[in-house]
Amino acid sequence: MTSHRTHWTGRAALTATACALPLCACSDETDPSSVASRAASAAESVGDRAASAFASASAEAGRRLDSIKGGVDAKADVRLGTPSTDADGRTTVDVTATNPDDSAKSFTVQVDFKDPDGTWRDTVLVTVPDVPPKASRTSTARSTHKLPKGTQAEVPRAVRH
């Protein structure tokens, strides 16, 4: 089954982590409290960037979902399978939409991927097209990059249209 997806990632946060850590280790200052202070500041900065990336991705997904003409909240009509890893190392999850309507409808579903600690890692929008009346159809959400083992998926929003 073909699925259509749009994605946003937290790569900036991961890059920030890789860049921030050497700043702490390469300082001219060897005072442990000074080094610890800079490490805490770098970690806070990375956390802020990750939070910012999540907010940005969620906002963009929200704008796209809000722009769907005649869309109806359908979160209760969508369920996710168990996340797995595909041959490319990306996390995938089946998205099944059940159409309670009397005519065929499509669903646009926001899927958030979170690592085992609950930290957001990726957001994708998946379309489950042309679901027949009173029936279900499944599409697959696929992360935009490799995610850690144990990544979970959730549906914050879904729209039937």
Side-chain angles (χ1 to χ4, degrees):
M1 184 108 0
T2 302
S3 64
H4 306 279
R5 60 189 160 89
T6 305
H7 57 273
W8 302 272
T9 68
R11 287 186 191 147
L14 297 175
T15 302
T17 302
C19 294
L21 294 178
L23 293 175
C24 297
C26 298
S27 171
D28 289 338
E29 293 182 42
T30 57
D31 173 7
S33 65
S34 176
V35 172
S37 175
R38 282 192 313 281
S41 293
E44 185 176 314
S45 175
V46 169
D48 290 347
R49 288 183 183 148
S52 177
F54 172 69
S56 177
S58 293
E60 180 61 23
R63 280 190 290 277
R64 292 188 183 226
L65 289 167
D66 291 342
S67 73
I68 296 172
K69 303 266 190 249
V72 175
D73 177 21
K75 185 175 174 180
D77 299 326
V78 174
R79 60 179 207 284
L80 298 178
T82 302
S84 61
T85 303
D86 68 12
D88 294 329
R90 308 271 180 99
T91 301
T92 63
V93 64
D94 285 341
V95 178
T96 301
T98 302
N99 181 7
D101 208 12
D102 291 327
S103 60
K105 299 290 181 182
S106 293
F107 291 71
T108 301
V109 181
Q110 177 182 342
V111 177
D112 286 351
F113 291 101
K114 295 184 176 184
D115 68 19
D117 294 330
T119 302
W120 170 84
R121 295 296 182 168
D122 203 1
T123 294
V124 296
L125 285 181
V126 178
T127 299
V128 184
D130 305 318
V131 182
K134 311 290 187 213
S136 298
R137 180 168 279 172
T138 300
S139 287
T140 300
R142 182 176 187 257
S143 66
T144 61
H145 55 283
K146 292 179 182 179
L147 300 175
K149 288 188 184 221
T151 293
Q152 297 299 308
E154 63 182 44
V155 175
R157 286 188 66 191
V159 175
R160 182 175 68 242
H161 49 97

